[in-house]
Amino acid sequence: MSLDPVRWNKRASLLYAVGVWTMFGCYGYYRYTHKDDPQVEMPIEEEEDNRPNVEKYETIHTKTTVVYKENFVPYSTRLLNLFRSSNESSPDGQSHEEQK
């Protein structure tokens, strides 16, 4: 079974052309059938949140509010503390837990 590159290229080109024209057709259909719809924006009421575990970030396109749990320790800090406790040792050869 041999592949005929000319036939394969024609079929791939036809498939690509059908896909592109379908995309253009969908765009035109959507644009001309939905052009009279009014764009209604609902006002967003913002409540002030002055808790210490709330951080707000605003960019041009987004507004993000991050709420941390009380007494939450990040995973990176947990892993760092785990490795510190296993690798720390005093000059006498005793580990940190043995000194307590």
Side-chain angles (χ1 to χ4, degrees):
M1 183 173 140
S2 65
L3 289 175
D4 186 14
V6 175
R7 283 183 63 193
W8 189 89
N9 283 340
K10 286 181 182 180
R11 289 179 182 173
S13 299
L14 181 65
L15 181 65
Y16 180 76
V18 168
V20 169
W21 284 108
T22 302
M23 184 180 66
F24 286 146
C26 289
Y27 173 74
Y29 175 77
Y30 176 79
R31 182 173 175 147
Y32 290 112
T33 58
H34 293 89
K35 70 178 181 180
D36 294 334
D37 292 343
Q39 295 285 335
V40 178
E41 292 184 18
M42 300 296 291
I44 299 173
E45 296 180 13
E46 295 183 22
E47 54 186 54
E48 290 297 320
D49 204 359
N50 295 329
R51 294 181 290 177
N53 58 342
V54 174
E55 292 184 17
K56 294 184 179 185
Y57 302 102
E58 287 190 30
T59 64
I60 296 172
H61 303 288
T62 62
K63 293 179 184 178
T64 305
T65 303
V66 179
V67 180
Y68 294 102
K69 296 180 186 177
E70 291 184 29
N71 302 324
F72 178 74
V73 179
Y75 295 110
S76 58
T77 306
R78 291 182 192 178
L79 286 171
L80 185 61
N81 289 339
L82 177 70
F83 287 114
R84 280 186 183 166
S85 65
S86 65
N87 290 335
E88 272 186 3
S89 62
S90 66
D92 299 339
Q94 296 176 346
S95 67
H96 183 61
E97 293 176 1
E98 292 174 358
Q99 290 178 357
K100 291 183 180 180

XYZ file of all heavy atoms in Angstrom:
836
model
N 0.848 -1.173 0.000
C 0.000 0.000 0.000
C 0.892 1.234 0.000
O 1.650 1.475 0.912
C -0.881 -0.025 1.235
C -1.840 1.106 1.298
S -2.927 0.842 2.687
C -3.030 2.459 3.280
N 0.820 1.987 -1.055
C 1.643 3.181 -1.142
C 0.768 4.422 -1.010
O -0.391 4.442 -1.415
C 2.392 3.216 -2.471
O 1.468 3.329 -3.526
N 1.325 5.417 -0.412
C 0.606 6.681 -0.257
C 0.866 7.562 -1.466
O 1.996 7.690 -1.934
C 1.082 7.415 0.995
C 0.670 6.802 2.328
C 1.320 7.553 3.466
C -0.839 6.857 2.464
N -0.182 8.137 -1.954
C -0.063 9.067 -3.060
C -0.070 10.475 -2.463
O -1.101 10.947 -2.004
C -1.229 8.881 -4.029
C -1.062 9.726 -5.283
O 0.059 10.234 -5.496
O -2.046 9.847 -6.029
N 1.089 11.152 -2.414
C 1.158 12.460 -1.755
C 0.263 13.519 -2.405
O -0.250 14.400 -1.727
C 2.619 12.863 -1.864
C 3.342 11.767 -2.530
C 2.363 10.725 -2.918
N 0.053 13.420 -3.692
C -0.777 14.412 -4.367
C -2.229 14.284 -3.909
O -2.882 15.283 -3.578
C -0.657 14.264 -5.902
C -1.608 15.214 -6.606
C 0.775 14.501 -6.356
N -2.741 13.070 -3.876
C -4.129 12.856 -3.411
C -4.277 13.256 -1.943
O -5.270 13.854 -1.551
C -4.521 11.385 -3.584
C -4.846 11.037 -5.023
C -5.290 9.609 -5.166
N -6.533 9.361 -4.438
C -7.018 8.164 -4.174
N -6.354 7.092 -4.571
N -8.133 8.024 -3.531
N -3.275 12.909 -1.128
C -3.334 13.232 0.283
C -3.334 14.749 0.486
O -4.100 15.277 1.283
C -2.142 12.602 1.006
C -2.267 12.711 2.497
C -2.873 11.842 3.328
C -1.781 13.770 3.313
N -2.793 12.272 4.619
C -2.123 13.478 4.634
C -1.079 14.950 3.055
C -1.803 14.293 5.706
C -0.763 15.777 4.124
C -1.125 15.443 5.432
N -2.502 15.474 -0.251
C -2.454 16.933 -0.144
C -3.775 17.569 -0.580
O -4.228 18.530 0.028
C -1.304 17.499 -0.974
C 0.031 17.312 -0.293
O 0.093 17.116 0.912
N 1.097 17.351 -1.076
N -4.380 17.042 -1.635
C -5.667 17.580 -2.086
C -6.742 17.379 -1.025
O -7.525 18.285 -0.740
C -6.098 16.922 -3.396
C -5.329 17.399 -4.599
C -5.829 16.736 -5.862
C -5.025 17.174 -7.070
N -5.498 16.543 -8.310
N -6.767 16.194 -0.429
C -7.768 15.929 0.602
C -7.543 16.798 1.842
O -8.486 17.320 2.426
C -7.740 14.453 0.994
C -8.279 13.556 -0.086
C -8.203 12.122 0.330
N -8.678 11.260 -0.741
C -8.614 9.950 -0.713
N -8.071 9.329 0.330
N -9.080 9.244 -1.710
N -6.296 16.959 2.260
C -5.986 17.796 3.422
C -6.338 19.258 3.142
O -6.888 19.957 4.009
C -4.507 17.664 3.792
N -6.067 19.720 1.940
C -6.402 21.096 1.569
C -7.912 21.313 1.558
O -8.407 22.345 2.012
C -5.830 21.445 0.198
O -4.437 21.347 0.220
N -8.648 20.342 1.047
C -10.101 20.434 1.020
C -10.671 20.470 2.438
O -11.539 21.289 2.749
C -10.692 19.258 0.243
C -12.208 19.236 0.126
C -12.691 20.428 -0.686
C -12.671 17.931 -0.492
N -10.156 19.622 3.308
C -10.612 19.604 4.697
C -10.312 20.934 5.391
O -11.143 21.475 6.114
C -9.944 18.446 5.444
C -10.335 18.275 6.899
C -11.803 17.902 7.003
C -9.463 17.212 7.536
N -9.130 21.472 5.179
C -8.743 22.753 5.752
C -9.654 23.865 5.238
O -10.124 24.702 6.019
C -7.282 23.044 5.399
C -6.776 24.348 5.937
C -6.450 24.483 7.276
C -6.618 25.450 5.095
C -5.988 25.689 7.774
C -6.150 26.650 5.580
C -5.834 26.768 6.932
O -5.369 27.962 7.406
N -9.924 23.883 3.939
C -10.778 24.920 3.355
C -12.194 24.840 3.912
O -12.809 25.869 4.236
C -10.796 24.792 1.837
N -12.735 23.636 4.050
C -14.082 23.485 4.615
C -14.112 24.005 6.048
O -15.041 24.706 6.455
C -14.533 22.006 4.537
C -15.786 21.767 5.369
C -14.773 21.609 3.102
N -13.092 23.713 6.831
C -13.029 24.179 8.208
C -12.954 25.687 8.303
O -13.642 26.316 9.115
N -12.125 26.300 7.472
C -11.974 27.762 7.498
C -13.263 28.449 7.076
O -13.724 29.394 7.725
C -10.794 28.193 6.606
C -10.785 29.694 6.396
C -9.482 27.747 7.222
N -13.885 27.983 6.005
C -15.125 28.613 5.552
C -16.268 28.379 6.526
O -17.148 29.234 6.697
C -15.492 28.144 4.150
C -14.627 28.821 3.127
C -13.633 28.259 2.395
C -14.653 30.211 2.776
N -13.033 29.207 1.594
C -13.651 30.427 1.810
C -15.407 31.297 3.183
C -13.387 31.664 1.265
C -15.155 32.541 2.622
C -14.164 32.717 1.684
N -16.267 27.258 7.218
C -17.269 27.023 8.258
C -17.088 28.014 9.397
O -18.058 28.569 9.929
C -17.166 25.580 8.787
O -17.335 24.680 7.699
C -18.205 25.302 9.850
N -15.846 28.261 9.772
C -15.565 29.227 10.836
C -16.020 30.632 10.424
O -16.659 31.340 11.207
C -14.072 29.238 11.151
C -13.705 30.144 12.316
S -11.947 30.140 12.659
C -11.302 30.884 11.183
N -15.703 31.042 9.210
C -16.152 32.355 8.721
C -17.671 32.439 8.681
O -18.268 33.457 9.041
C -15.585 32.649 7.329
C -14.126 32.997 7.329
C -13.325 32.608 6.275
C -13.560 33.719 8.363
C -11.984 32.934 6.257
C -12.222 34.053 8.354
C -11.431 33.655 7.302
N -18.320 31.382 8.240
C -19.780 31.369 8.174
C -20.413 31.477 9.544
O -21.388 32.211 9.736
N -19.882 30.770 10.515
C -20.417 30.859 11.883
C -20.221 32.250 12.456
O -21.100 32.796 13.134
C -19.745 29.827 12.776
S -20.235 28.144 12.411
N -19.069 32.847 12.194
C -18.811 34.203 12.675
C -19.794 35.192 12.054
O -20.375 36.032 12.741
C -17.373 34.613 12.343
C -17.087 36.063 12.672
C -16.938 36.476 13.983
C -16.978 37.010 11.664
C -16.683 37.805 14.286
C -16.719 38.331 11.950
C -16.567 38.731 13.266
O -16.325 40.032 13.560
N -19.985 35.101 10.758
C -20.927 36.005 10.084
C -22.345 35.792 10.559
O -23.088 36.746 10.798
N -22.764 34.556 10.723
C -24.114 34.265 11.212
C -24.312 34.845 12.605
O -25.314 35.488 12.882
C -24.345 32.757 11.218
C -25.670 32.368 11.823
C -26.843 32.515 11.101
C -25.747 31.875 13.120
C -28.069 32.174 11.653
C -26.952 31.527 13.680
C -28.116 31.681 12.953
O -29.319 31.351 13.501
N -23.349 34.627 13.488
C -23.460 35.130 14.855
C -23.485 36.657 14.866
O -24.272 37.268 15.569
C -22.303 34.615 15.705
C -22.324 35.182 17.104
C -23.184 34.681 18.062
C -21.485 36.233 17.456
C -23.216 35.197 19.334
C -21.513 36.765 18.719
C -22.377 36.237 19.664
O -22.404 36.773 20.920
N -22.615 37.260 14.078
C -22.514 38.720 14.084
C -23.791 39.384 13.576
O -24.264 40.364 14.149
C -21.335 39.150 13.225
C -21.153 40.636 13.217
C -19.908 41.032 12.517
N -19.887 42.479 12.453
C -18.811 43.200 12.494
N -17.660 42.615 12.594
N -18.871 44.492 12.423
N -24.363 38.875 12.512
C -25.529 39.524 11.927
C -26.836 39.125 12.592
O -27.828 39.830 12.469
C -25.579 39.270 10.417
C -24.472 40.015 9.717
C -23.413 39.343 9.123
C -24.460 41.401 9.688
C -22.394 40.026 8.499
C -23.431 42.085 9.078
C -22.405 41.405 8.481
O -21.393 42.083 7.886
N -26.881 38.028 13.300
C -28.118 37.665 13.988
C -28.169 38.197 15.407
O -29.246 38.304 15.984
C -28.300 36.134 14.036
O -27.176 35.547 14.681
C -28.472 35.573 12.640
N -27.049 38.565 15.992
C -27.011 39.040 17.368
C -26.585 40.505 17.482
O -26.230 40.962 18.549
C -26.052 38.180 18.192
C -26.519 36.785 18.377
N -26.203 35.788 17.483
C -27.292 36.214 19.333
C -26.746 34.659 17.894
N -27.414 34.889 18.995
N -26.629 41.255 16.410
C -26.134 42.629 16.478
C -27.120 43.581 17.138
O -26.729 44.640 17.599
C -25.768 43.143 15.090
C -26.938 43.400 14.166
C -26.447 43.960 12.855
C -27.612 44.238 11.930
N -27.180 44.775 10.671
N -28.405 43.220 17.245
C -29.380 44.115 17.853
C -29.562 43.876 19.347
O -30.340 44.572 19.986
C -30.734 43.958 17.157
C -30.676 44.423 15.708
O -29.819 45.277 15.408
O -31.476 43.924 14.901
N -28.865 42.901 19.907
C -28.990 42.635 21.337
C -28.280 43.725 22.129
O -27.110 44.010 21.897
C -28.379 41.279 21.690
C -29.172 40.127 21.115
O -30.337 40.354 20.726
O -28.627 39.018 21.068
N -28.979 44.361 23.074
C -28.311 45.394 23.882
C -27.366 44.739 24.891
O -27.651 43.674 25.428
C -29.464 46.092 24.584
C -30.544 45.069 24.650
C -30.383 44.220 23.417
N -26.280 45.391 25.109
C -25.325 44.926 26.104
C -25.690 45.562 27.438
O -25.536 46.754 27.636
C -23.899 45.331 25.702
C -23.405 44.688 24.438
C -23.048 43.231 24.667
O -22.736 42.834 25.774
N -23.109 42.441 23.611
N -26.199 44.774 28.344
C -26.621 45.268 29.644
C -25.589 44.834 30.670
O -25.295 43.659 30.815
C -28.009 44.708 30.032
C -28.415 45.190 31.401
C -29.029 45.086 28.986
N -25.031 45.807 31.370
C -24.074 45.501 32.416
C -24.721 45.780 33.761
O -25.218 46.876 34.006
C -22.814 46.331 32.255
C -22.013 45.968 31.024
C -20.717 46.729 30.943
O -20.287 47.270 31.981
O -20.148 46.779 29.866
N -24.718 44.784 34.604
C -25.292 44.938 35.927
C -24.250 45.564 36.846
O -23.084 45.156 36.834
C -25.710 43.571 36.484
C -26.739 42.865 35.620
S -28.291 43.748 35.525
C -28.875 43.530 37.164
N -24.648 46.553 37.632
C -23.686 47.132 38.573
C -23.350 46.127 39.667
O -24.209 45.427 40.178
C -24.418 48.348 39.140
C -25.854 48.056 38.928
C -25.947 47.196 37.707
N -22.098 46.056 39.990
C -21.637 45.126 41.015
C -21.451 45.906 42.304
O -20.697 46.883 42.357
C -20.314 44.463 40.597
C -20.523 43.679 39.310
C -19.782 43.572 41.709
C -19.243 43.131 38.730
N -22.157 45.486 43.334
C -22.020 46.131 44.627
C -20.865 45.492 45.371
O -20.822 44.286 45.555
C -23.315 45.982 45.426
C -24.491 46.676 44.790
C -25.756 46.504 45.609
O -25.653 46.060 46.769
O -26.815 46.817 45.083
N -19.938 46.315 45.758
C -18.783 45.817 46.475
C -18.932 46.149 47.947
O -19.235 47.281 48.312
C -17.504 46.448 45.935
C -17.198 46.062 44.517
C -15.891 46.648 44.044
O -15.058 46.985 44.902
O -15.723 46.769 42.837
N -18.718 45.160 48.755
C -18.760 45.396 50.179
C -17.331 45.465 50.690
O -16.461 44.724 50.249
C -19.540 44.289 50.886
C -19.029 42.897 50.578
C -19.907 41.830 51.161
O -21.110 41.858 50.875
O -19.382 40.985 51.892
N -17.112 46.362 51.596
C -15.779 46.538 52.145
C -15.476 45.396 53.106
O -16.258 45.084 53.984
C -15.671 47.885 52.872
C -15.688 49.061 51.931
C -14.498 49.054 50.999
O -13.380 48.718 51.437
O -14.686 49.366 49.822
N -14.346 44.771 52.904
C -13.937 43.667 53.748
C -12.566 44.002 54.310
O -11.572 43.916 53.607
C -13.899 42.378 52.923
C -14.054 41.155 53.784
O -14.162 41.306 55.020
O -14.076 40.054 53.222
N -12.514 44.403 55.537
C -11.268 44.852 56.148
C -10.658 43.817 57.074
O -9.923 44.158 57.988
C -11.500 46.157 56.910
C -11.876 47.290 55.981
O -11.448 47.307 54.834
N -12.683 48.199 56.452
N -10.977 42.558 56.864
C -10.381 41.521 57.689
C -8.914 41.362 57.317
O -8.521 41.572 56.170
C -11.120 40.201 57.488
C -12.552 40.262 57.996
C -13.223 38.947 57.790
N -13.429 38.753 56.346
C -13.941 37.669 55.811
N -14.302 36.671 56.571
N -14.108 37.570 54.514
N -8.082 40.940 58.260
C -6.643 40.807 57.956
C -6.322 39.636 57.042
O -5.257 39.606 56.443
C -6.011 40.604 59.342
C -7.099 40.087 60.192
C -8.384 40.690 59.659
N -7.225 38.666 56.919
C -6.936 37.510 56.070
C -7.546 37.640 54.681
O -7.732 36.660 53.991
C -7.413 36.229 56.750
C -8.892 36.250 57.077
O -9.503 37.303 57.104
N -9.464 35.098 57.337
N -7.853 38.864 54.241
C -8.414 39.106 52.922
C -7.467 40.020 52.151
O -7.049 41.062 52.643
C -9.810 39.767 53.025
C -10.313 40.154 51.649
C -10.782 38.842 53.713
N -7.110 39.602 50.943
C -6.275 40.430 50.078
C -7.007 40.650 48.760
O -7.594 39.730 48.212
C -4.939 39.747 49.807
C -4.065 39.644 51.024
C -2.703 39.048 50.700
O -2.328 39.026 49.511
O -2.040 38.611 51.632
N -6.971 41.874 48.281
C -7.627 42.211 47.025
C -6.578 42.649 46.019
O -5.694 43.444 46.319
C -8.645 43.329 47.232
C -9.800 42.912 48.092
C -10.833 44.003 48.192
C -11.993 43.526 49.044
N -13.066 44.483 49.082
N -6.694 42.109 44.814
C -5.811 42.457 43.712
C -6.668 42.969 42.566
O -7.647 42.348 42.198
C -5.016 41.230 43.235
C -4.181 40.590 44.314
C -4.606 39.431 44.942
C -2.974 41.145 44.699
C -3.836 38.830 45.929
C -2.200 40.554 45.678
C -2.637 39.401 46.287
O -1.882 38.818 47.259
N -6.296 44.108 42.010
C -7.026 44.662 40.865
C -6.058 44.907 39.731
O -4.999 45.483 39.906
C -7.717 45.965 41.244
C -8.921 45.781 42.122
C -9.724 47.065 42.278
O -9.708 47.879 41.340
O -10.337 47.228 43.321
N -6.437 44.437 38.558
C -5.698 44.758 37.348
C -6.666 45.470 36.409
O -7.806 45.746 36.771
C -5.147 43.485 36.680
O -6.236 42.673 36.265
C -4.254 42.702 37.629
N -6.226 45.718 35.218
C -7.074 46.404 34.249
C -8.302 45.565 33.920
O -9.405 46.076 33.786
C -6.278 46.696 32.965
C -5.134 47.661 33.269
C -7.175 47.261 31.889
C -4.193 47.860 32.109
N -8.120 44.238 33.842
C -9.194 43.365 33.379
C -9.877 42.564 34.475
O -10.957 42.052 34.262
C -8.652 42.389 32.328
C -8.015 43.081 31.167
N -8.733 43.763 30.221
C -6.719 43.213 30.816
C -7.914 44.275 29.332
N -6.679 43.956 29.669
N -9.234 42.411 35.624
C -9.798 41.537 36.641
C -9.764 42.174 38.021
O -8.967 43.066 38.293
C -9.018 40.213 36.738
O -7.674 40.499 37.116
C -9.052 39.448 35.445
N -10.649 41.692 38.861
C -10.643 42.025 40.285
C -10.675 40.705 41.033
O -11.596 39.906 40.862
C -11.861 42.859 40.663
C -11.864 44.227 40.048
C -13.098 44.999 40.440
C -13.118 46.338 39.739
N -14.323 47.103 40.054
N -9.657 40.467 41.852
C -9.541 39.198 42.546
C -9.507 39.438 44.042
O -8.798 40.320 44.519
C -8.249 38.467 42.128
O -8.236 38.342 40.707
C -8.161 37.100 42.764
N -10.279 38.654 44.770
C -10.270 38.700 46.217
C -9.830 37.338 46.730
O -10.427 36.324 46.400
C -11.668 39.022 46.770
O -12.107 40.257 46.201
C -11.648 39.130 48.274
N -8.769 37.332 47.529
C -8.245 36.096 48.094
C -8.542 36.118 49.579
O -8.165 37.048 50.279
C -6.728 35.965 47.850
C -6.191 34.690 48.473
C -6.413 36.026 46.380
N -9.224 35.073 50.063
C -9.548 34.965 51.474
C -8.775 33.773 52.035
O -8.966 32.644 51.596
C -11.066 34.759 51.691
C -11.379 34.641 53.162
C -11.842 35.887 51.061
N -7.900 34.043 52.991
C -7.111 32.996 53.621
C -7.853 32.496 54.857
O -8.506 33.243 55.560
C -5.745 33.529 54.048
C -4.874 33.927 52.880
C -4.714 35.260 52.530
C -4.218 32.964 52.142
C -3.918 35.618 51.466
C -3.421 33.317 51.080
C -3.267 34.646 50.745
O -2.481 34.990 49.694
N -7.709 31.203 55.137
C -8.268 30.649 56.359
C -7.465 31.161 57.542
O -6.277 31.454 57.425
C -8.195 29.122 56.335
C -9.009 28.477 55.266
C -8.836 26.972 55.352
C -9.514 26.281 54.209
N -9.281 24.821 54.260
N -8.118 31.227 58.699
C -7.397 31.621 59.896
C -6.429 30.508 60.265
O -6.731 29.334 60.143
C -8.368 31.875 61.036
C -9.223 33.114 60.820
C -10.103 33.412 62.004
O -9.725 33.068 63.138
O -11.179 33.972 61.776
N -5.241 30.897 60.719
C -4.191 29.968 61.140
C -3.785 29.001 60.027
O -3.414 27.869 60.287
C -4.615 29.175 62.379
C -4.950 30.072 63.531
O -4.314 31.105 63.722
N -5.949 29.700 64.296
N -3.856 29.437 58.788
C -3.479 28.604 57.657
C -1.990 28.741 57.401
O -1.460 29.850 57.343
C -4.260 29.007 56.406
C -3.883 28.222 55.196
C -4.286 26.912 55.065
C -3.112 28.785 54.190
C -3.946 26.172 53.945
C -2.774 28.061 53.081
C -3.185 26.745 52.963
N -1.308 27.613 57.261
C 0.108 27.604 56.943
C 0.243 27.107 55.507
O -0.239 26.018 55.181
C 0.878 26.673 57.906
C 2.360 26.650 57.566
C 0.672 27.106 59.339
N 0.855 27.896 54.619
C 0.983 27.470 53.219
C 1.761 26.161 53.090
O 2.594 25.823 53.918
C 1.743 28.624 52.566
C 1.597 29.768 53.478
C 1.417 29.217 54.841
N 1.449 25.439 52.025
C 2.086 24.144 51.806
C 3.588 24.281 51.620
O 4.353 23.424 52.055
C 1.468 23.439 50.602
C 0.019 23.092 50.827
C -0.990 23.747 50.131
C -0.347 22.123 51.748
C -2.311 23.440 50.349
C -1.674 21.801 51.969
C -2.654 22.466 51.270
O -3.956 22.166 51.486
N 4.021 25.352 50.976
C 5.455 25.534 50.782
C 6.160 25.702 52.121
O 7.252 25.160 52.334
C 5.720 26.740 49.881
O 5.155 27.900 50.458
N 5.536 26.419 53.050
C 6.133 26.591 54.375
C 6.126 25.279 55.140
O 7.076 24.959 55.850
C 5.362 27.667 55.163
O 5.301 28.857 54.391
C 6.027 27.951 56.491
N 5.082 24.501 54.998
C 5.026 23.196 55.665
C 6.152 22.293 55.192
O 6.827 21.644 56.001
C 3.686 22.511 55.378
C 2.514 23.167 56.030
C 1.269 22.388 55.713
N 0.077 23.142 56.081
C -1.149 22.721 55.888
N -1.363 21.551 55.306
N -2.179 23.452 56.248
N 6.356 22.248 53.864
C 7.435 21.412 53.330
C 8.804 21.926 53.773
O 9.684 21.141 54.128
C 7.371 21.360 51.811
C 6.258 20.508 51.231
C 6.168 20.713 49.742
C 6.496 19.051 51.548
N 8.972 23.240 53.771
C 10.237 23.826 54.188
C 10.517 23.494 55.648
O 11.636 23.124 56.007
C 10.213 25.336 53.956
C 11.503 26.081 54.223
C 12.608 25.570 53.304
C 11.300 27.564 54.027
N 9.496 23.603 56.497
C 9.676 23.267 57.909
C 9.977 21.786 58.093
O 10.739 21.410 58.985
C 8.434 23.658 58.713
C 8.299 25.157 58.841
O 9.262 25.890 58.694
N 7.091 25.605 59.116
N 9.385 20.939 57.284
C 9.646 19.513 57.367
C 11.110 19.216 57.065
O 11.776 18.470 57.793
C 8.750 18.752 56.389
C 8.951 17.250 56.312
C 8.460 16.595 57.590
C 8.225 16.686 55.111
N 11.642 19.820 56.003
C 13.033 19.580 55.657
C 13.988 20.249 56.632
O 15.046 19.737 56.929
C 13.325 20.038 54.224
C 12.734 19.123 53.193
C 11.728 19.557 52.361
C 13.190 17.829 53.071
C 11.176 18.714 51.422
C 12.653 16.965 52.135
C 11.637 17.414 51.310
N 13.611 21.410 57.137
C 14.464 22.078 58.123
C 14.581 21.242 59.390
O 15.652 21.107 59.950
C 13.897 23.447 58.480
C 14.208 24.503 57.479
C 13.727 25.835 57.991
N 13.953 26.875 57.007
C 13.418 28.078 57.052
N 12.606 28.397 58.051
N 13.675 28.956 56.125
N 13.452 20.700 59.862
C 13.494 19.935 61.103
C 14.285 18.646 60.936
O 14.935 18.195 61.863
C 12.085 19.629 61.590
O 11.427 18.784 60.680
N 14.263 18.032 59.754
C 15.008 16.788 59.564
C 16.485 17.053 59.284
O 17.321 16.211 59.580
C 14.395 15.980 58.434
O 14.538 16.665 57.216
N 16.822 18.204 58.746
C 18.210 18.491 58.390
C 18.932 19.314 59.444
O 20.154 19.382 59.423
C 18.290 19.215 57.046
C 17.924 18.300 55.905
O 18.049 17.095 55.993
N 17.451 18.893 54.826
N 18.203 19.965 60.329
C 18.854 20.791 61.340
C 19.481 19.919 62.403
O 18.913 18.939 62.856
C 17.831 21.721 62.010
C 17.642 23.013 61.318
C 16.725 23.938 62.115
O 16.306 23.576 63.222
O 16.441 25.011 61.607
N 20.644 20.269 62.806
C 21.270 19.605 63.946
C 22.173 20.618 64.621
O 22.719 21.521 63.997
C 22.046 18.377 63.505
O 23.079 18.754 62.630
N 22.313 20.459 65.912
C 23.155 21.384 66.671
C 24.617 20.988 66.493
O 24.930 19.880 66.057
C 22.757 21.345 68.142
O 23.061 20.067 68.669
N 25.541 21.843 66.889
C 26.954 21.500 66.751
C 27.351 20.290 67.596
O 28.319 19.611 67.312
C 27.694 22.744 67.220
C 26.690 23.842 67.196
C 25.350 23.216 67.299
N 26.572 19.985 68.642
C 26.897 18.852 69.502
C 26.455 17.530 68.900
O 26.727 16.478 69.457
C 26.223 19.010 70.873
C 26.706 20.265 71.584
O 27.799 20.760 71.225
O 26.006 20.734 72.490
N 25.728 17.576 67.810
C 25.260 16.361 67.176
C 23.836 16.009 67.548
O 23.311 15.007 67.107
N 23.213 16.813 68.413
C 21.827 16.549 68.798
C 20.923 17.283 67.835
O 21.200 18.383 67.411
C 21.564 17.037 70.220
C 22.360 16.322 71.265
C 22.111 16.918 72.637
O 21.547 18.009 72.722
N 22.513 16.220 73.669
N 19.798 16.655 67.525
C 18.851 17.317 66.629
C 18.031 18.339 67.407
O 18.088 18.409 68.639
C 17.923 16.293 65.969
O 17.101 15.718 66.948
N 17.252 19.125 66.719
C 16.452 20.197 67.308
C 15.413 19.631 68.283
O 15.166 20.201 69.329
C 15.774 20.985 66.190
C 14.972 22.157 66.658
N 15.537 23.193 67.341
C 13.646 22.436 66.545
C 14.593 24.085 67.638
N 13.437 23.632 67.171
N 14.840 18.479 67.968
C 13.815 17.884 68.820
C 14.428 17.307 70.091
O 13.800 17.295 71.138
C 13.043 16.824 68.053
C 12.218 17.381 66.937
C 11.532 16.298 66.124
O 11.712 15.125 66.464
O 10.842 16.655 65.154
N 15.657 16.812 70.026
C 16.293 16.237 71.196
C 16.670 17.311 72.206
O 16.802 17.038 73.388
C 17.549 15.457 70.784
C 17.248 14.213 69.978
C 18.500 13.553 69.465
O 19.602 14.089 69.710
O 18.377 12.514 68.801
N 16.872 18.563 71.762
C 17.244 19.645 72.671
C 16.080 20.070 73.538
O 16.262 20.572 74.623
C 17.741 20.845 71.874
C 19.070 20.607 71.215
C 19.509 21.795 70.384
O 18.776 22.770 70.267
N 20.703 21.721 69.829
N 14.832 19.847 73.086
C 13.665 20.282 73.854
C 13.395 19.424 75.007
O 13.555 18.592 75.570
C 12.425 20.315 72.974
C 12.489 21.400 71.971
C 11.231 21.450 71.189
C 11.306 22.555 70.158
N 10.105 22.649 69.368
